[in-house]
Amino acid sequence: MHLLDEMVYIIARDNECECLMEELSEHPKWFGVLCRHSLHMEEADAKWQFASYLPGCECGHEIKELILAFAEDPDEYVCRRALLAMPYIYPDKAVHYAERFWNRTLYAPGQQEYQRMAALTVLHRVQSPLLASYLGKAKEGGTFLRQCAEKIEDASSRVWN
């Protein structure tokens, strides 16, 4: 266990370059072991990397379903990165989580704005019919949320025209 703790700690310290995570994602067995172990640690900088790399890793379903645990993490950034990865693992659950993240009020307004930006991105990625109503709500939000909505609307109009 001590060695696993140290490995997760080292991965967390490499959060800017993500070199270790990139290499680790090419070794599904070890990725799975360390991903699962990270859930029991306080290393948010490792957890968000695991959440982000889960869609591309060739690990089994039992490891990919850990995205749901990352989505419940108390750290705002970890759960946001899990939400952004969810359409690639569980597109059928992504809309539910996007709505939930939009409506919950766990964080300060600035962090809540980032949660809502992630929710808009997910609704756009899965082409949810709910996107239009949430884009409307976003126009009443903060500056970054409005800008995110405008980018999504612009991207959507280019696809449809």
Side-chain angles (χ1 to χ4, degrees):
M1 287 292 225
H2 182 68
L3 181 58
L4 295 179
D5 288 348
E6 288 180 356
M7 291 297 297
V8 170
Y9 176 84
I10 292 168
I11 290 166
R13 302 295 78 77
D14 184 45
N15 71 82
E16 290 186 24
C17 296
E18 301 175 36
C19 296
L20 293 173
M21 186 57 67
E22 194 172 307
E23 180 66 31
L24 185 60
S25 66
E26 295 178 19
H27 303 277
K29 180 181 176 187
W30 278 107
F31 181 95
V33 168
L34 292 167
C35 182
R36 186 179 307 283
H37 191 76
S38 75
L39 288 171
H40 308 291
M41 295 182 65
E42 299 288 324
E43 295 292 346
D45 285 335
K47 291 178 185 180
W48 72 255
Q49 290 181 78
F50 280 112
S52 294
Y53 278 80
L54 265 172
C57 184
E58 297 294 324
C59 49
H61 178 71
E62 70 282 353
I63 298 301
K64 293 223 183 222
E65 70 185 15
L66 295 178
I67 197 69
L68 301 174
F70 288 120
E72 301 296 334
D73 195 87
D75 184 85
E76 185 276 329
Y77 194 62
V78 172
C79 64
R80 181 168 19 123
R81 293 298 293 256
L83 176 63
L84 290 168
M86 202 169 294
Y88 306 108
I89 299 172
Y90 286 122
D92 55 322
K93 294 181 182 190
V95 172
H96 165 76
Y97 276 89
E99 286 188 286
R100 194 169 136 227
F101 278 41
W102 182 280
N103 292 311
R104 66 185 182 177
T105 55
L106 299 175
Y107 309 108
Q111 288 181 318
Q112 186 61 36
E113 186 173 17
Y114 288 112
Q115 292 277 301
R116 289 181 173 172
M117 290 166 55
L120 285 180
T121 301
V122 167
L123 293 172
H124 176 66
R125 281 184 184 158
V126 299
Q127 300 178 355
S128 171
L130 298 175
L131 177 62
S133 69
Y134 280 93
L135 287 171
K137 292 177 186 182
K139 291 177 181 172
E140 299 169 13
T143 303
F144 295 127
L145 183 58
R146 286 193 310 272
Q147 289 173 348
C148 179
E150 290 168 4
K151 286 180 184 176
I152 289 172
E153 285 179 327
D154 184 51
S156 296
S157 69
R158 280 186 273 129
V159 169
W160 301 112
N161 292 327

